[in-house]
Amino acid sequence: MPLLEMTKRMVLSLALATGLSAVTTINVQADEIALRGASMFDDNHAFTKTMVKFAELVDQYYDGDVTFDLRLNGELGVESDYVTFLQQGVAIDYTIMAPSNMASFAPSIPLMDMPFLFRDLDHWNAVLSSDVLAPLEDELLEKADIKIIGYTGGGVRNLLSSKPVGNLDELKGHKMRVMGAPIQARIFSALSAAPSAIAYNEVYNAIQSGVIAGFENEAASIQNLKFYEVAPNVTLTRHTITVRPIVMSGKTFRKLPEELQAAVLKAGAEAGAFGRELESREDGIKLQEMIDAGQITVQEFENRDQLLEMVKPVQKAYAEELGATDLLTAIQAK
């Protein structure tokens, strides 16, 4: 292998992290740049595959030397940790995460992941392929110093529970975990559930111990983290088609040469499109695999159209509070 190709390799490392110091290193003499990524999942998850694709594309579009060190299986913590690391410019340089986990820095950002926002996959993809979300990107960079370089996602989120929850009567008072952004709790409260925001890494034990009776998630994460062991009942609410920004620390991005910045942005956009196609395609496959394995029981939510009507006032009020009424209108018009 030529020396140049060896120095541009991507490393998928499962070794323990040696510390949480700043990891972006630009050696002026050797002109070497090392970027560390983080994934909560293994190498079969769509997020991990998308970050692998991102590294390959950067390598393709940039003539200099870049090494990618991608840590898997939550080695460097959970998404709430990643937000802090990115904002401070330590431990990791890039990752993929839920908008809700960035709400403490940029209150408007969870709007892109608001339940019942997208009509269908075509609508979702049209929004993420456009510049409609630019105002949210600007807010995140200004307030958190986190730069969005692409959009992946595509998992369809449904309810999971220890006991079946298939209609409004069964949903009433249902103790369930939601993501940390207030809009998530407000939406499910409007649907008569009893939502609470608890840490993602505590969900399994919380269901097992009866603290909550369920939560909501997409098929890949259910399968990857074996949530079906404690919540085998899946109700097809299809309330969210996930939006998962590919993000980089602003502090990291500004240190990069201009040519590499351009490569990162191009690679991020293309990796996002790759990841969206991959995850949306795999979502149904993974759900069926769990059904075939007898790991989950699936049912439709009775009178789902009623849910869509119940959440509209909450969506409208939330957008008004954020000063994002025009943005919500632009998303809905796509």
Side-chain angles (χ1 to χ4, degrees):
M1 179 183 293
L3 179 59
L4 179 60
E5 292 303 315
M6 290 178 65
T7 56
K8 291 170 67 177
R9 68 192 182 282
M10 185 190 68
V11 180
L12 289 179
S13 174
L14 298 177
L16 290 175
T18 57
L20 296 181
S21 58
V23 298
T24 306
T25 57
I26 302 178
N27 185 317
V28 177
Q29 292 182 340
D31 195 27
E32 294 177 352
I33 298 171
L35 299 175
R36 179 182 290 170
S39 173
M40 285 179 55
F41 307 101
D42 64 17
D43 55 6
N44 290 317
H45 194 278
F47 288 4
T48 305
K49 292 178 181 178
T50 299
M51 283 187 273
V52 169
K53 185 67 172 180
F54 166 68
E56 292 173 348
L57 289 168
V58 172
D59 185 68
Q60 177 181 335
Y61 297 138
Y62 180 61
D63 289 333
D65 298 337
V66 186
T67 298
F68 290 88
D69 175 13
L70 180 57
R71 305 298 180 95
L72 310 184
N73 296 311
E75 177 188 328
L76 298 180
V78 295
E79 289 187 13
S80 57
D81 300 317
Y82 298 168
V83 177
T84 302
F85 295 157
L86 291 167
Q87 193 270 335
Q88 295 178 353
V90 301
I92 64 173
D93 299 298
Y94 65 97
T95 190
I96 295 169
M97 71 173 89
S100 294
N101 286 309
M102 297 180 277
S104 59
F105 291 104
S108 299
I109 202 78
L111 187 142
M112 67 175 65
D113 207 30
M114 182 167 61
F116 302 105
L117 178 63
F118 300 109
R119 294 185 298 273
D120 50 36
L121 279 170
D122 287 341
H123 179 215
W124 164 82
N125 207 36
V127 170
L128 298 188
S129 299
S130 72
D131 61 355
V132 170
L133 299 179
L136 298 181
E137 297 172 16
D138 294 342
E139 178 185 352
L140 184 65
L141 184 61
E142 177 185 353
K143 295 183 177 180
D145 203 13
I146 296 174
K147 187 171 184 64
I148 293 176
I149 58 175
Y151 292 98
T152 186
V156 178
R157 295 180 80 90
N158 296 294
L159 298 183
L160 290 89
S161 53
S162 54
K163 295 181 180 180
V165 178
N167 54 54
L168 277 171
D169 287 338
E170 293 173 346
L171 184 60
K172 186 175 182 179
H174 174 58
K175 295 181 180 179
M176 60 177 290
R177 183 263 182 183
V178 294
M179 292 182 287
I183 185 58
Q184 300 286 332
R186 288 167 63 175
I187 288 286
F188 284 99
S189 292
L191 299 177
S192 76
S196 59
I198 64 175
Y200 190 65
N201 59 347
E202 297 175 3
V203 170
Y204 188 104
N205 289 337
I207 298 174
Q208 191 173 44
S209 62
V211 173
I212 56 175
F215 71 126
E216 51 86 46
N217 213 326
E218 62 264 26
S221 296
I222 299 167
Q223 186 181 62
N224 191 269
L225 298 177
K226 299 183 179 180
F227 284 120
Y228 52 77
E229 294 177 345
V230 292
N233 298 284
V234 176
T235 305
L236 300 178
T237 49
R238 302 182 184 90
H239 53 270
T240 301
I241 304 174
T242 58
V243 176
R244 294 294 176 264
I246 308 172
V247 294
M248 177 170 279
S249 169
K251 293 177 175 61
T252 294
F253 186 81
R254 288 189 297 274
K255 292 178 183 178
L256 304 179
E258 288 186 6
E259 295 83 358
L260 181 51
Q261 289 180 357
V264 162
L265 293 176
K266 184 176 182 181
E270 293 184 14
F274 166 86
R276 295 197 302 274
E277 189 282 328
L278 173 66
E279 188 170 352
S280 59
R281 172 166 43 85
E282 287 187 346
D283 187 75
I285 295 173
K286 291 180 182 298
L287 192 69
Q288 190 61 50
E289 286 175 350
M290 290 185 285
I291 294 172
D292 293 343
Q295 295 165 336
I296 59 172
T297 300
V298 175
Q299 64 176 336
E300 294 282 348
F301 191 90
E302 183 181 310
N303 197 9
R304 179 178 176 273
D305 289 345
Q306 188 174 353
L307 301 183
L308 305 182
E309 292 303 314
M310 292 171 70
V311 302
K312 283 182 178 179
V314 180
Q315 293 176 322
K316 181 179 179 182
Y318 178 63
E320 288 175 351
E321 290 172 15
L322 297 175
T325 300
D326 290 344
L327 175 58
L328 178 60
T329 301
I331 292 172
Q332 292 172 336
K334 268 291 176 181

